Amino acid sequence: MIKGLNNPKTAAYIELKNRVCSADFPWYFIPKTTHNKTEHDLSWFCHTCLERPERDGNGYSVPTSPYCPQTVSVVREILQANSIELFTMLRACFNMTTPQLDVARSVEHVDHDAPHQNLIIYLNDCDGDTVVEGESVSPEEDKVILLKGSHYIKTPTIKERVVLVATFIAY
């Protein structure tokens, strides 16, 4: 299931997007999309703001970036603008996938074993679709989608694909 959401493009959102898309934003190399799969997968760059509760068996999410408060605030603004009441954030991170000459795809996966929703905000224009249970969405700058279920991404071919991914539980 994919649902398009309204992006109110608040001042906080614009400031965060500009910071993430700047040359001084810190990115970290990740060799695989998923931690628990052994099949061939994509490498990518990530900046985690709120670490997933399953990480290291903690059972709770941990802020890991100075950008966490602003990121959570922006996600909350977008959810509120779409009449979605946030119960708890599970994870928030920025992902950057670099262009490939031949289109590849990530491993199909679900982000958490427990019921949750994913919010994806495309921070730039590029290609590199998101595919959810056979339904495909093409990136457009500032587009916001809500998704549930198993999903994967296709690699961009022209320039990097930069997104904010947040997983959460709503009331």
Side-chain angles (χ1 to χ4, degrees), residues 93-106:
C93 65
F94 296 96
N95 295 345
M96 178 174 56
T97 311
T98 57
Q100 308 292 315
L101 294 176
D102 295 318
V103 174
R105 58 171 266 191
S106 69

Side-chain angles (χ1 to χ4, degrees), residues 33-157:
T33 304
T34 55
H35 299 285
N36 57 354
K37 304 269 186 180
T38 56
E39 57 204 90
H40 175 71
D41 202 356
L42 298 177
S43 59
W44 49 291
F45 293 88
C46 181
H47 182 100
T48 301
C49 293
L50 186 63
E51 187 60 72
R52 66 180 66 242
E54 304 90 345
R55 182 69 180 238
D56 301 327
N58 285 336
Y60 56 89
S61 301
V62 178
T64 56
S65 167
Y67 303 108
C68 186
Q70 186 179 15
T71 301
V72 171
S73 178
V74 164
V75 170
R76 189 179 304 275
E77 287 174 346
I78 290 171
L79 292 175
Q80 286 174 346
N82 289 275
S83 301
I84 298 170
E85 191 175 351
L86 177 66
F87 173 69
T88 191
M89 291 274 298
L90 299 172
R91 180 171 181 252
C93 65
F94 296 96
N95 295 345
M96 178 174 56
T97 311
T98 57
Q100 308 292 315
L101 294 176
D102 295 318
V103 174
R105 58 171 266 191
S106 69
V107 169
E108 191 165 348
H109 64 282
V110 175
D111 286 8
H112 307 280
D113 290 334
H116 68 282
Q117 296 182 65
N118 292 44
L119 180 83
I120 297 178
I121 307 170
Y122 298 97
L123 299 178
N124 66 333
D125 279 322
C126 63
D127 57 345
D129 287 5
T130 303
V131 182
V132 181
E133 298 178 351
E135 189 179 352
S136 188
V137 173
S138 297
E140 294 173 27
E141 185 172 352
D142 301 324
K143 181 190 276 186
V144 180
I145 62 169
L146 186 67
L147 65 92
K148 287 183 186 179
S150 187
H151 60 280
Y152 64 90
I153 68 162
K154 295 180 180 178
T155 54
T157 58

